[in-house]
Amino acid sequence: MHERSIRKPFASVRIALACLLVLAVGFASRGVADAHEREYWIAAEQVEWDYAPLGQNAIDPHAGMSPWGDTHVYDKYRYVEYTEGFGAPVPQPVHRGILGPELRAIEGEWIVVHFWNRTDRPLSIHPHGLRYTEEHDGADWPLRGKTCGGCYVAPGDRWTYRWKADHGAAPGRHEASSSVWLYHSHVDSVQDIYDGLIGTIVVTKRGWARGRHDPRPRDVDREFTALFMVFDEEQGEEGGLMHSINGFIFGNLPGLDVQRGERVRWYLVGLGTEVDVHTAHWHGETVMEGGWRSGRRTDVVELLPSSMKVVDMQADNPGTWLFHCHVADHITAGMMTRWRVY
Ligand SMILES: [Cu+2]
């Protein structure tokens, strides 16, 4: 069940026959995949965000959280996913925290996002990695003007983004079977990101999805996403510099639980400014940075603002372990949590 699956495109010496078969299958699957769209309904909303919902330092209660936890609830903006036609909010895995919904596609598919700006400011969605036309770039800048519909979505307005997860968005030949990309609002991009308008996209390489309707990669059992970012809540005052993983500080991030024997893929992303030099570190296990097949074995992964990295882990060491940034100042400020192998 937990064996690694390595696909070999050619296994036969009957080259001509094999080539014909592979080409036929390749074109057939491409035709199907290219026609496929994955639709999402996403609203931007104003919320209260609690960086420490447990109300305490869950790693070392006696040490407290001061000054960072003296105030730990702030007004934020978030991307929230809804069912078709903005029916009901779609719950997401608790570990994703402040991150917006995870968008997925298999190489060759389109991602279609129906966006509704339910806030008091113009916003947008700008995706990294995917292929788009100017109208769907989602980035506003003064000289671009009115030609770009999706670059400036006024309060109350809607826009439908169309992005293609083409070959250029999919993992390269020697990479892991899925790639992670950031998306974020890009009207006032610095403020929009600090406000919390951030999410991730996962593109699975053609032939590596679990199925036509399940784009998750089939060579892993579980996936986590972790955003390392210092949110600045008080114009640079130390107590407002929230050194968070997915918007949680001092061990308040829940849900990083795996079963022994599982193959776990971690999507690691960073954002922020020059203080956002992070080194994600796991206790208890090592990882393959870049994926099973080509990875570098390590237990520390370097992240800069807008880094997007994929690492694979064979979870075989039961225990409750720390997962934290290894930068000294960031440890002090609570950029840490626990993860568990059952
Ligand atoms: Cu750090």
Side-chain angles (χ1 to χ4, degrees):
M1 181 179 173
H2 300 298
E3 284 174 18
R4 294 171 192 178
S5 162
I6 306 295
R7 194 176 66 149
K8 294 176 181 169
F10 296 98
S12 170
V13 292
R14 296 174 179 179
I15 294 170
L17 194 59
C19 281
L20 277 173
L21 188 64
V22 167
L23 278 172
V25 170
F27 280 122
S29 66
R30 176 174 298 180
V32 169
D34 282 358
H36 199 244
E37 294 180 348
R38 292 190 190 275
E39 276 186 287
Y40 295 89
W41 281 263
I42 296 177
E45 300 181 354
Q46 289 162 269
V47 300
E48 274 194 343
W49 182 254
D50 190 343
Y51 288 92
L54 298 173
Q56 65 167 349
N57 181 337
I59 306 292
D60 182 358
H62 297 296
M65 301 189 288
S66 192
W68 304 279
D70 294 347
T71 302
H72 51 86
V73 179
Y74 290 92
D75 292 329
K76 307 296 289 175
Y77 292 66
R78 285 194 61 227
Y79 292 121
V80 180
E81 184 179 5
Y82 283 83
T83 56
E84 185 172 349
F86 292 100
V90 176
Q92 63 178 10
V94 290
H95 86 270
R96 287 185 68 84
I98 201 166
L99 286 170
E102 181 176 64
L103 310 181
R104 288 201 184 246
I106 303 168
E107 179 181 359
E109 294 180 332
W110 288 83
I111 291 176
V112 177
V113 174
H114 305 279
F115 176 55
W116 183 9
N117 181 4
R118 300 173 70 181
T119 75
D120 58 357
R121 303 212 326 257
L123 299 172
S124 68
I125 309 179
H126 164 69
H128 284 244
L130 304 180
R131 190 172 183 89
Y132 41 77
T133 60
E134 280 189 33
E135 272 206 321
H136 299 280
D137 178 9
D140 188 52
W141 34 283
L143 291 181
R144 180 167 253 180
K146 291 174 183 171
T147 58
C148 182
C151 300
Y152 182 102
V153 181
D157 281 2
R158 303 188 188 198
W159 179 262
T160 298
Y161 291 100
R162 294 180 58 83
W163 307 315
K164 187 166 188 187
D166 69 352
H167 185 66
R173 184 181 176 84
H174 298 293
E175 289 188 279
S177 59
S178 54
S179 302
V180 64
W181 301 101
L182 284 160
Y183 67 83
H184 55 86
S185 181
H186 204 311
V187 174
D188 179 349
S189 67
V190 170
Q191 189 58 47
D192 293 352
I193 289 169
Y194 276 117
D195 277 344
L197 293 157
I198 311 157
T200 52
I201 303 162
V202 172
V203 178
T204 301
K205 198 174 179 63
R206 193 194 307 272
W208 286 85
R210 294 188 186 194
R212 179 82 165 72
H213 298 287
D214 187 349
R216 292 177 297 166
R218 58 178 161 80
D219 59 338
V220 294
D221 303 302
R222 195 180 293 274
E223 295 159 276
F224 292 125
T225 304
L227 165 68
F228 285 72
M229 177 176 172
V230 180
F231 285 91
D232 182 0
E233 298 290 0
E234 295 175 16
Q235 288 83 47
E237 288 295 314
E238 185 61 39
L241 295 175
M242 309 308 272
H243 292 62
S244 73
I245 306 172
N246 291 354
F248 295 112
I249 59 174
F250 289 105
N252 278 253
L253 195 169
L256 298 180
D257 302 322
V258 313
Q259 299 293 327
R260 182 181 191 176
E262 284 184 331
R263 302 162 300 177
V264 185
R265 178 159 293 168
W266 297 74
Y267 301 110
L268 303 175
V269 293
L271 274 171
T273 189
E274 67 265 35
V275 300
D276 286 281
V277 175
H278 304 297
T279 47
H281 170 51
W282 297 261
H283 289 233
E285 301 279 7
T286 59
V287 298
M288 295 290 275
E289 181 177 352
W292 301 120
R293 291 174 293 171
S294 59
R296 174 176 76 98
R297 182 92 63 189
T298 182
D299 64 4
V300 176
V301 175
E302 303 86 0
L303 297 171
L304 294 171
S306 213
S307 288
M308 299 171 281
K309 294 191 173 179
V310 178
V311 312
D312 285 340
M313 168 195 285
Q314 181 73 50
D316 59 4
N317 192 11
T320 298
W321 307 109
L322 285 175
F323 174 50
H324 66 92
C325 177
H326 218 297
V327 175
D329 179 63
H330 300 181
I331 296 172
T332 307
M335 200 168 217
M336 59 177 74
T337 195
R338 287 167 296 185
W339 74 286
R340 293 184 184 86
V341 181
Y342 285 103

